[in-house]
Amino acid sequence: MRKLILLLLAYILFSCSINKNEKMNKTQFNFYTEYNQFYIEDKGSNGDTGSAEFWSEEAIINRLALDDGIIGVGTQSYGNIKGEITILDKPTTDINFDLYDHIVEGGINIKSGELQILNCPDNNLELSIKVECGKYRVRVYGLNFSSVKETDLAHDSDNDFYKIEIWKSEDMQRKVLKQWEDN
């Protein structure tokens, strides 16, 4: 009996440690945006999305703009945006790069305890998620870019998708993990 209890305890401990990156919260989104971008921001952010520094040449190429409390995500399509956002305990390390067209990450400081997704140019609130205050790393995976026939017009056939993962981190710098090359 004692051996059975020890085996059962070992099994429970082992199975709990297998899932090293427990997903805390996963939320789908689908909304209309313009100018090939949307925003992830700290509620009440003072970031200036209209400044020349926000959408710099580097930010446009990397599809990620950074400012105080706000991130601009560059999209392939102009119009309907589909995706999901997941809050993680720590970053995903086993990325299958073949599944994605573009992967980029950057940092955001959440002071309000509320992370928001906003469209462009209206800044309409599309999604709001309560999070602990602190610095976060945001990774954006873009896929199905080739489904977009015209990047400056909305089409029902556009099927690009944005998978966003966030986790606590002090790293605020932009980093491209996989670069999309327009043909």
Side-chain angles (χ1 to χ4, degrees):
M1 182 67 163
R2 184 178 174 141
K3 285 183 182 180
L4 181 60
I5 292 171
L6 287 174
L7 285 172
L8 184 59
L9 283 173
Y11 173 77
I12 291 170
L13 288 173
F14 177 73
S15 26
C16 289
S17 66
I18 288 176
N19 189 1
K20 295 179 181 165
N21 196 2
E22 178 102 11
K23 290 181 175 145
M24 296 168 36
N25 183 356
K26 184 178 194 176
T27 306
Q28 305 286 321
F29 57 84
N30 186 349
F31 60 91
Y32 187 86
T33 193
E34 296 178 356
Y35 303 103
N36 302 90
Q37 62 190 282
F38 66 91
Y39 309 120
I40 300 169
E41 81 164 11
D42 178 25
K43 181 180 180 180
S45 163
N46 293 324
D48 182 6
T49 62
S51 76
E53 294 82 31
F54 187 70
W55 280 113
S56 66
E57 185 175 337
E58 179 185 11
I60 291 168
I61 291 168
N62 295 331
R63 296 175 176 258
L64 195 78
L66 302 172
D67 200 358
D68 182 31
I70 191 163
I71 293 177
V73 177
T75 64
Q76 185 69 7
S77 64
Y78 183 110
N80 293 316
I81 297 299
K82 297 168 284 301
E84 65 186 32
I85 185 167
T86 307
I87 301 171
L88 304 172
D89 291 326
K90 53 185 157 183
T92 300
T93 56
D94 56 341
I95 301 168
N96 182 349
F97 286 88
D98 293 334
L99 297 176
Y100 306 101
D101 295 319
H102 187 80
I103 307 171
V104 63
E105 55 187 48
I108 187 169
N109 190 4
I110 304 294
K111 298 174 186 173
S112 70
E114 189 172 339
L115 180 98
Q116 298 181 327
I117 294 182
L118 307 172
N119 80 338
C120 175
D122 308 314
N123 290 328
N124 285 334
L125 177 63
E126 302 296 340
L127 180 66
S128 179
I129 300 172
K130 299 286 185 194
V131 295
E132 290 181 23
C133 294
K135 293 182 178 178
Y136 287 86
R137 193 82 178 145
V138 177
R139 183 180 295 155
V140 181
Y141 305 79
L143 60 145
N144 295 330
F145 284 5
S146 61
S147 73
V148 179
K149 302 305 176 208
E150 295 178 278
T151 59
D152 58 347
L153 294 172
H155 294 282
D156 290 338
S157 61
D158 294 346
N159 199 29
D160 51 333
F161 187 89
Y162 299 88
K163 175 182 170 182
I164 302 168
E165 295 176 338
I166 72 167
W167 63 93
K168 285 216 168 180
S169 173
E170 294 293 317
D171 187 358
M172 298 285 108
Q173 298 302 308
R174 177 177 35 236
K175 181 179 179 182
V176 175
L177 303 179
K178 182 177 182 180
Q179 180 69 52
W180 166 254
E181 299 293 337
D182 282 319
N183 296 330

